[in-house]
Amino acid sequence: MRLCINIDHIATLRQARLESEPDPVLAAGICELAGADGIVCHLREDRRHILDRDVHILKQTVKTKLDLEMAATDEMVKIACDVMPYMATLVPEKRQELTTEGGLDLAAAELKVSAAIEKLKDAGIKTSVFIEPDPESVDLAIEMGADMIEIHTGKFARLKDPLEIINELEKIRQTSKIAKELGMGVNAGHGLNYLNITAIANISEIDEVSIGHSIIARAVFTGIENAVKDMLNIIRRIRQ
Ligand code: PXP
């Protein structure tokens, strides 16, 4: 299972002072040196953390693969087609939210998401859609032409009741299995940390996880290299 690191929170710290450091580009390089399989950044409409400059430089410097997380808007599709990241993950975006709050409602946003997927694919960019763990969304993602899904693990990560956790994990497992059987790439992310990653890594159909907050939070105390290696060690104990 691949580990991709979301570096948005390095940029959040920079933007707290509107200064030039810490630089998420440098952070991305250290993540890669520590063994990360990819770098993720979310260029939000309000540019609250990652800036256009970051995305352009990351495209030049990232040696693994760059996943541009983005809303399915004309502006973002145009930027993606200019930058040409390895892949784009389409997410719902609300201005007031602290972070992405849930998966895309593909039925409601069908036209917008399909149009974005078509343009991204025409440009040669792989596409992933961020969805809740439910098989109907997998069918819609396939109909829309997405190459991959990313299953939203935020609810699983927040739950406290053991039975509810088991139920949510089962939904993630079933959705992963169905998507894999239908030939899709299966990614997962949101709210994953050094404890709950074990349950997710045990779902063999999940190809890749995208983790930001917990790794950058640990890095404040241990450094980015150790924070990435600690997560990789846990994953590698379960998966190759
Ligand atoms: N995947 C998606 C689609 C996200 O929006 C985010 C948050 O930016 C993540 C993964 C990473 O979540 P976290 O920062 O909680 O690890």
Side-chain angles (χ1 to χ4, degrees), residues 31-209:
C31 289
E32 290 187 303
L33 285 174
D37 299 290
I39 300 297
V40 189
C41 67
H42 184 176
L43 185 66
R44 294 187 76 103
E45 187 193 16
D46 61 10
R47 309 300 199 267
R48 69 173 70 158
H49 39 51
I50 293 292
L51 305 176
D52 298 59
R53 164 264 184 210
D54 302 329
V55 182
H56 283 276
I57 302 177
L58 284 167
K59 163 67 185 177
Q60 305 300 320
T61 57
V62 166
K63 300 284 185 293
T64 52
K65 55 179 189 157
L66 179 62
D67 176 4
L68 177 61
E69 229 187 280
M70 53 179 261
T73 62
D74 291 345
E75 183 203 11
M76 289 301 151
V77 169
K78 185 173 180 311
I79 292 171
C81 292
D82 278 354
V83 171
M84 292 295 295
Y86 172 81
M87 64 186 273
T89 299
L90 298 174
V91 298
E93 197 175 296
K94 292 190 220 130
R95 226 165 223 273
Q96 302 307 327
E97 68 192 356
L98 287 178
T99 179
T100 316
E101 282 170 354
L104 281 164
D105 181 346
L106 289 181
E110 192 170 351
L111 285 180
K112 218 171 65 167
V113 176
S114 301
I117 290 175
E118 198 182 326
K119 285 191 190 137
L120 292 164
K121 285 187 76 169
D122 282 352
I125 301 166
K126 289 190 189 301
T127 55
S128 175
V129 285
F130 189 50
I131 60 167
E132 291 300 319
D134 97 87
E136 270 177 38
S137 296
V138 176
D139 291 338
L140 282 171
I142 290 173
E143 273 172 35
M144 291 180 182
D147 301 297
M148 290 161 267
I149 54 163
E150 178 178 336
I151 299 175
H152 179 222
T153 50
K155 181 172 176 199
F156 154 74
R158 271 194 320 273
L159 287 170
K160 299 274 178 278
D161 179 77
L163 270 183
E164 288 182 353
I165 295 174
I166 290 170
N167 283 341
E168 189 65 17
L169 257 181
E170 199 43 41
K171 283 192 206 166
I172 296 171
R173 190 188 310 281
Q174 282 306 326
T175 307
S176 306
K177 193 163 178 281
I178 288 165
K180 197 82 276 175
E181 280 167 4
L182 294 171
M184 296 210 97
V186 182
N187 303 338
H190 215 281
L192 299 179
N193 60 36
Y194 294 83
L195 298 176
N196 64 23
I197 188 64
T198 307
I200 294 297
N202 269 306
I203 301 175
S204 61
E205 288 84 4
I206 297 180
D207 301 309
E208 180 173 302
V209 283

